[in-house]
Amino acid sequence: MNSNKTVIVTGASGGIGSATAALFARSGYNTIINYNKNKEAALSLCEVLSKEGATVRVFGADVSQFSEAKALTDFAVSEFGDVDILVNNAGIAQQKLFTDITDEDFDRMMAVNVKSVFNCSKAVLPFMIHKKYGRIINVSSMWGICGASCEVHYSASKAAVVGLTKALAKEVGPSGITVNCVAPGLIDTPMNGNLDSDTINALCEETPVMRIGTPEDVAKAIFYLAGEGSSFITGQVLGVDGGFI
């Protein structure tokens, strides 16, 4: 059994998630790559990292369901003996006029983007509380802070992640656990693949650093919040948006 720290990254088959899992794995962490639907991408990432000598495992789970979030946690513990870091990255997005959002759209957005954070945090906290140590990093969005037209349910879900982060940080701080979140701006991921070049260029022009972000930009922020250098930082929202807001 590897004695290094263990990290679970949910939604690790996508852009930000895969970059985050890769950064932790290449830095010597025991890394659990979670996916829901994109098994091929998760296995491909695992293969690449394993060939580099990293210690990685893949586990499929729909973390919007508590039973599956618990199974993911139990798998990590069975493989590596513990869980030190949880990165709640699993999420979906959807652009719709507010009047066109259905009950099903809203409920699914909340289940995937908010309930998953609740479920996974609830699953790992008994282990973290027992040893008086843990890092939970949630992935919100700049739209959760300032709101986005035609993304009301998405913005609401990501604002909920901010509120959950701040409240949980106060509750588990005495147990040596920090809870923070990152709020990415426009990032070059498949989730933003529906944006045309004119929209992307316009958003870049509104961004002080004048470029679109990369998944690695977000991964590095998450990695910082998981490290010892951030042990006195909790309940915070770290914007990774190039100064957009």
Side-chain angles (χ1 to χ4, degrees):
M1 183 179 294
N2 194 323
S3 61
N4 292 342
K5 284 186 170 63
T6 298
V7 57
I8 295 173
V9 183
T10 69
S13 62
I16 291 172
S18 61
T20 301
L23 179 55
F24 276 101
R26 287 168 175 152
S27 300
Y29 289 76
N30 304 320
T31 304
I32 305 292
I33 297 170
N34 161 251
Y35 72 93
N36 182 19
K37 295 179 179 177
N38 200 342
K39 183 177 182 179
E40 288 186 6
L43 290 175
S44 177
L45 176 61
C46 181
E47 182 180 6
V48 168
L49 294 170
S50 296
K51 286 180 178 178
E52 295 177 10
T55 305
V56 290
R57 302 286 189 275
V58 173
F59 193 87
D62 176 0
V63 290
S64 69
Q65 305 295 319
F66 178 73
S67 61
E68 298 196 33
K70 186 177 185 304
L72 169 63
T73 301
D74 290 344
F75 173 75
V77 173
S78 68
E79 288 292 304
F80 300 121
D82 216 336
V83 178
D84 301 282
I85 300 154
L86 169 65
V87 179
N88 282 310
N89 169 72
I92 57 173
Q94 185 183 46
Q95 290 185 316
K96 268 191 174 184
L97 288 170
F98 178 73
T99 50
D100 291 337
I101 296 171
T102 66
D103 287 352
E104 291 75 18
D105 290 334
F106 187 87
D107 290 347
R108 173 145 180 78
M109 187 69 69
M110 291 297 168
V112 177
N113 289 3
V114 186
K115 189 70 181 295
S116 66
V117 177
F118 172 84
N119 288 338
C120 292
S121 299
K122 189 175 181 182
V124 304
L125 274 171
F127 299 98
M128 293 181 175
I129 291 169
H130 176 74
K131 64 181 177 180
K132 301 288 185 181
Y133 178 89
R135 299 281 185 268
I136 297 175
I137 301 100
N138 303 320
V139 179
S140 179
S141 166
M142 67 178 182
W143 302 132
I145 299 170
C146 67
S149 174
C150 298
E151 292 188 73
V152 168
H153 53 337
Y154 177 77
S155 299
S157 72
K158 291 302 188 178
V161 171
V162 171
L164 189 156
T165 297
K166 290 178 176 292
L168 186 59
K170 291 183 177 180
E171 188 167 328
V172 300
S175 296
I177 301 161
T178 65
V179 187
N180 292 288
C181 75
V182 295
L186 180 63
I187 308 296
D188 185 13
T189 66
M191 188 179 284
N192 288 320
N194 62 317
L195 300 178
D196 59 40
S197 58
D198 287 343
T199 300
I200 291 175
N201 289 337
L203 287 168
C204 286
E205 288 179 5
E206 291 182 54
T207 303
V209 299
M210 299 297 289
R211 69 170 175 88
I212 189 172
T214 68
E216 289 73 23
D217 288 328
V218 184
K220 289 172 184 175
I222 292 170
F223 190 79
Y224 167 70
L225 291 172
E228 295 310 305
S230 63
S231 63
F232 199 56
I233 299 172
T234 195
Q236 302 304 306
V237 182
L238 177 55
V240 190
D241 60 12
F244 191 94
I245 60 171

